[in-house]
Amino acid sequence: MYEARQARAREAFDIAEAARNERGEPTLTNPYPAPRPVRLPALDQVTGWSKADPAKTPHDPDVALFGGWRLKNRSP
Protein backbone atom coordinates (compact mmCIF):
# COMPACT_ATOMS: atom_id res chain seq x y z
CA MET A 1 0.00 0.00 0.00
CA TYR A 2 2.77 2.39 0.88
CA GLU A 3 4.52 1.86 -2.46
CA ALA A 4 1.26 2.32 -4.38
CA ARG A 5 0.53 5.55 -2.50
CA GLN A 6 4.05 6.79 -3.22
CA ALA A 7 3.67 5.91 -6.92
CA ARG A 8 0.37 7.82 -7.13
CA ALA A 9 1.89 10.82 -5.38
CA ARG A 10 4.88 10.74 -7.73
CA GLU A 11 2.59 10.54 -10.77
CA ALA A 12 0.54 13.51 -9.52
CA PHE A 13 3.76 15.46 -8.94
CA ASP A 14 5.04 14.65 -12.43
CA ILE A 15 1.76 15.80 -13.98
CA ALA A 16 1.83 19.05 -11.98
CA GLU A 17 5.49 19.65 -12.94
CA ALA A 18 4.67 19.11 -16.62
CA ALA A 19 1.76 21.56 -16.40
CA ARG A 20 3.94 24.19 -14.68
CA ASN A 21 6.67 23.66 -17.26
CA GLU A 22 4.17 24.07 -20.10
CA ARG A 23 2.93 27.37 -18.63
CA GLY A 24 6.52 28.58 -18.32
CA GLU A 25 6.48 28.70 -14.52
CA PRO A 26 9.46 27.67 -12.38
CA THR A 27 9.49 24.00 -11.43
CA LEU A 28 11.58 21.88 -9.10
CA THR A 29 13.62 20.50 -11.99
CA ASN A 30 13.74 23.81 -13.92
CA PRO A 31 13.74 26.73 -11.44
CA TYR A 32 14.80 29.32 -14.06
CA PRO A 33 12.84 28.63 -17.25
CA ALA A 34 13.96 30.37 -20.41
CA PRO A 35 11.54 32.96 -21.75
CA ARG A 36 9.46 31.88 -24.68
CA PRO A 37 11.05 32.85 -28.01
CA VAL A 38 9.48 35.65 -30.02
CA ARG A 39 7.63 34.25 -32.99
CA LEU A 40 8.30 36.32 -36.09
CA PRO A 41 6.02 36.29 -39.14
CA ALA A 42 7.21 34.80 -42.41
CA LEU A 43 9.12 37.26 -44.59
CA ASP A 44 6.62 37.00 -47.42
CA GLN A 45 3.98 38.37 -45.03
CA VAL A 46 6.06 41.38 -43.98
CA THR A 47 5.60 44.51 -46.10
CA GLY A 48 6.52 48.13 -45.78
CA TRP A 49 9.69 47.68 -43.69
CA SER A 50 12.27 48.55 -46.35
CA LYS A 51 13.41 52.14 -46.71
CA ALA A 52 15.42 51.41 -49.87
CA ASP A 53 15.10 53.88 -52.68
CA PRO A 54 14.20 51.98 -55.88
CA ALA A 55 15.48 54.88 -58.01
CA LYS A 56 18.97 54.57 -56.52
CA THR A 57 21.61 52.58 -58.46
CA PRO A 58 22.23 49.07 -57.10
CA HIS A 59 25.33 48.14 -55.15
CA ASP A 60 28.54 47.33 -57.08
CA PRO A 61 29.04 43.53 -56.80
CA ASP A 62 32.84 43.89 -56.98
CA VAL A 63 33.03 45.99 -53.80
CA ALA A 64 32.48 44.31 -50.43
CA LEU A 65 29.77 45.67 -48.16
CA PHE A 66 30.64 47.07 -44.71
CA GLY A 67 34.39 47.34 -45.33
CA GLY A 68 35.12 43.61 -45.51
CA TRP A 69 36.63 41.59 -48.31
CA ARG A 70 35.18 39.15 -50.77
CA LEU A 71 36.03 35.51 -50.06
CA LYS A 72 36.89 34.85 -53.72
CA ASN A 73 39.49 37.66 -53.64
CA ARG A 74 41.05 36.50 -50.38
CA SER A 75 44.33 34.63 -50.78
CA PRO A 76 44.86 31.45 -48.67
Side-chain angles (χ1 to χ4, degrees), residues 5-40:
R5 195 175 315 125
Q6 290 293 93
R8 284 194 305 272
R10 180 65 189 179
E11 185 178 342
F13 174 78
D14 289 342
I15 291 171
E17 282 282 287
R20 280 190 289 273
N21 195 21
E22 183 65 29
R23 290 190 302 263
E25 298 174 1
T27 63
L28 183 64
T29 58
N30 189 12
Y32 303 105
R36 296 194 183 267
V38 176
R39 302 202 187 242
L40 299 175

Side-chain angles (χ1 to χ4, degrees), residues 23-72:
R23 290 190 302 263
E25 298 174 1
T27 63
L28 183 64
T29 58
N30 189 12
Y32 303 105
R36 296 194 183 267
V38 176
R39 302 202 187 242
L40 299 175
L43 289 178
D44 61 346
Q45 297 175 354
V46 178
T47 60
W49 60 270
S50 176
K51 294 184 169 99
D53 184 8
K56 195 174 178 183
T57 59
H59 175 70
D60 182 9
D62 295 329
V63 178
L65 293 172
F66 310 113
W69 59 82
R70 296 273 182 201
L71 289 177
K72 66 180 180 181

